[in-house]
């Protein structure tokens, strides 16, 4: 069976390389307590990320801003969907900066739920958070993972100067309409990435593909080629893990060797850096990916 070939025989048993346990290491507890005390949330917890133990034990976390409820809601995502989420906390950007300072985080990753209910979909809130982090000494590098912003919204975020701009294409074109909310589209996501590279050429542009949802190798290759054409520097490939019984099922579990093959393919196609593995997610080893790509400092 080739890479990413579809397998429709349920149920699928999770392979041993995907079985992880949450830890209780001192640094893990430190991050958890700091987040709870500040009233902040993380995508680590909301998305039930399998890397929480490793990342939190290393003193890092991906902050989830603008609440924990999303106005969209994709078939693969565990975040709660709500048409009218709670109002934004105007003090949240400062709280994020204080938490980053307290945890001595050198590379801060900020993401959000999608907030179509807001006039600018939350772009100015992203920008305020980036600027608050930029006021810290020492100043962390800032990576943002945003919704499919375009136009003024995208310009607002990039004008604040993130070192890394990420937006996830999520799945191959054929599956986009099936697994993503109807307001997302494969082509709009490509446009977001293309415009980000044009508006902020010094920023590292990043995207991610979830695998194991029914895609073929040819479709993954075509998606990689489209991302390279859009100007994406860093590609992330990871195994889809069904967060709840209400989410889309896993079609197939790829083995680690297949992820290695896909990483080599990505490098041949022209990505500056490829993070590929069963448990890899967009912000996994984000600081290492940023450094490995050869970027330095913040975008002016």
């Amino acid at each position: 069976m080739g890479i990413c070939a579809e397998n429709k025989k349920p149920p699928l048993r999770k392979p041993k390389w995907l079985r992880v346990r949450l830890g209780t290491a001192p640094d893990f507890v430190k991050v958890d307590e700091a987040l709870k005390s500040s009233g902040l949330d993380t995508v680590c917890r909301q998305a039930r990320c399998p890397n929480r133990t490793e990342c939190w034990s290393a003193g890092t976390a991906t902050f989830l801003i603008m609440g924990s409820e999303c106005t969209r809601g994709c078939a693969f995502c565990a975040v709660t969907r709500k048409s009218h989420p709670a109002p934004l906390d105007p003090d949240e950007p400062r709280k994020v900066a204080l938490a980053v300072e307290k945890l001595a985080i050198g590379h801060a990753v900020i993401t959000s739920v999608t907030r179509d209910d807001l006039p600018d979909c939350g772009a100015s809130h992203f920008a305020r958070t980036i600027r608050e982090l930029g006021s810290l000494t020492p100043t962390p590098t800032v990576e943002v993972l945003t919704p499919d912003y375009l136009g003024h919204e995208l310009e607002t975020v990039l004008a604040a100067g993130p070192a890394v701009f990420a937006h996830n294409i999520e799945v191959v074109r054929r599956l986009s309409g099936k697994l993503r909310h109807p307001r997302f589209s494969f082509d709009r996501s490509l446009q977001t990435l293309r415009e980000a590279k044009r508006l902020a050429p010094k920023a590292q542009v990043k995207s991610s593909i979830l695998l194991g949802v029914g895609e073929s190798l040819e479709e993954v290759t075509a998606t990689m080629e489209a991302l390279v054409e859009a100007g994406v520097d860093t590609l992330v490939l990871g195994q889809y893990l069904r967060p709840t019984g209400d989410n889309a099922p896993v079609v197939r579990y790829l083995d680690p060797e297949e992820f290695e093959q896909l990483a080599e393919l990505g490098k041949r196609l022209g990505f500056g850096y490829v993070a590929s593995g069963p448990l890899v997610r967009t912000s996994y080893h984000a600081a290492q990916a940023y450094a490995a790509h050869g970027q330095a400092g913040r975008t002016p």
Side-chain angles (χ1 to χ4, degrees):
M1 184 180 293
I3 296 173
C4 304
E6 185 167 344
N7 182 348
K8 294 184 178 181
K9 295 181 180 179
L12 296 178
R13 186 174 181 178
K14 188 179 292 186
K16 61 182 179 181
W17 58 79
L18 290 173
R19 297 169 192 167
V20 294
R21 294 181 180 179
L22 290 181
T24 55
D27 286 336
F28 178 95
V29 175
K30 176 184 175 183
V31 173
D32 194 29
E33 290 179 346
L35 293 169
K36 288 177 180 177
S37 65
S38 63
L40 297 171
D41 208 344
T42 64
V43 73
C44 321
R45 184 184 290 117
Q46 279 288 328
R48 304 186 183 186
C49 180
N51 301 310
R52 268 187 292 170
T53 295
E54 181 179 353
C55 294
W56 288 10
S57 294
T60 63
T62 298
F63 294 90
L64 180 68
I65 62 173
M66 297 196 279
S68 58
E69 298 167 328
C70 183
T71 54
R72 298 188 190 180
C74 298
F76 50 77
C77 185
V79 175
T80 302
R81 179 182 176 184
K82 192 173 184 180
S83 58
H84 295 287
L88 296 184
D89 175 3
D91 200 34
E92 185 175 50
R94 186 185 67 86
K95 291 178 181 177
V96 170
L98 289 174
V100 167
E101 185 175 45
K102 181 177 181 179
L103 295 169
I105 292 174
H107 184 97
V109 184
I110 312 299
T111 189
S112 76
V113 291
T114 302
R115 293 293 303 263
D116 295 314
D117 60 311
L118 301 174
D120 67 351
C121 298
S124 58
H125 199 75
F126 256 112
R128 286 194 296 273
T129 304
I130 296 167
R131 292 193 173 100
E132 284 283 353
L133 292 168
S135 69
L136 298 177
T137 303
T139 304
T141 53
V142 180
E143 176 171 333
V144 294
L145 172 59
T146 79
D148 52 352
Y149 290 151
L150 284 174
H152 178 69
E153 297 160 3
L154 184 60
E155 292 170 0
T156 297
V157 173
L158 293 174
V164 181
F165 175 85
H167 171 70
N168 289 339
I169 198 79
E170 304 290 13
V171 293
V172 302
R173 182 185 293 276
R174 177 177 58 85
L175 298 174
S176 188
K178 177 183 177 182
L179 296 176
R180 302 177 82 193
H181 186 273
R183 291 197 65 172
F184 286 112
S185 81
F186 189 89
D187 288 320
R188 181 180 171 94
S189 286
L190 283 179
Q191 188 178 358
T192 294
L193 294 163
R194 188 179 296 111
E195 284 298 295
K197 176 53 74 174
R198 183 182 68 82
L199 292 168
K202 292 184 180 179
Q204 183 185 132
V205 176
K206 185 177 187 179
S207 195
S208 175
I209 309 172
L210 281 175
L211 302 175
V213 289
E215 68 289 328
S216 68
L217 173 58
E218 291 74 20
E219 288 175 317
V220 175
T221 302
T223 303
M224 288 185 184
E225 291 171 341
L227 292 173
V228 169
E229 185 277 331
V232 172
D233 304 297
T234 297
L235 174 67
V236 178
L237 301 168
Q239 171 72 52
Y240 168 61
L241 300 175
R242 190 181 196 182
T244 74
D246 294 327
N247 294 107
V250 176
V251 174
R252 192 170 79 88
Y253 289 114
L254 285 71
D255 62 48
E257 290 73 23
E258 290 176 286
F259 279 101
E260 291 176 9
Q261 293 171 28
L262 288 170
E264 290 302 316
L265 173 60
K267 292 171 186 175
R268 290 198 303 271
L269 290 174
F271 292 103
Y273 185 85
V274 181
S276 180
L279 294 176
V280 170
R281 295 295 181 266
T282 308
S283 56
Y284 181 63
H285 286 182
Q288 294 93 318
Y290 175 72
H293 191 262
Q295 301 283 351
R298 288 163 54 85
T299 302

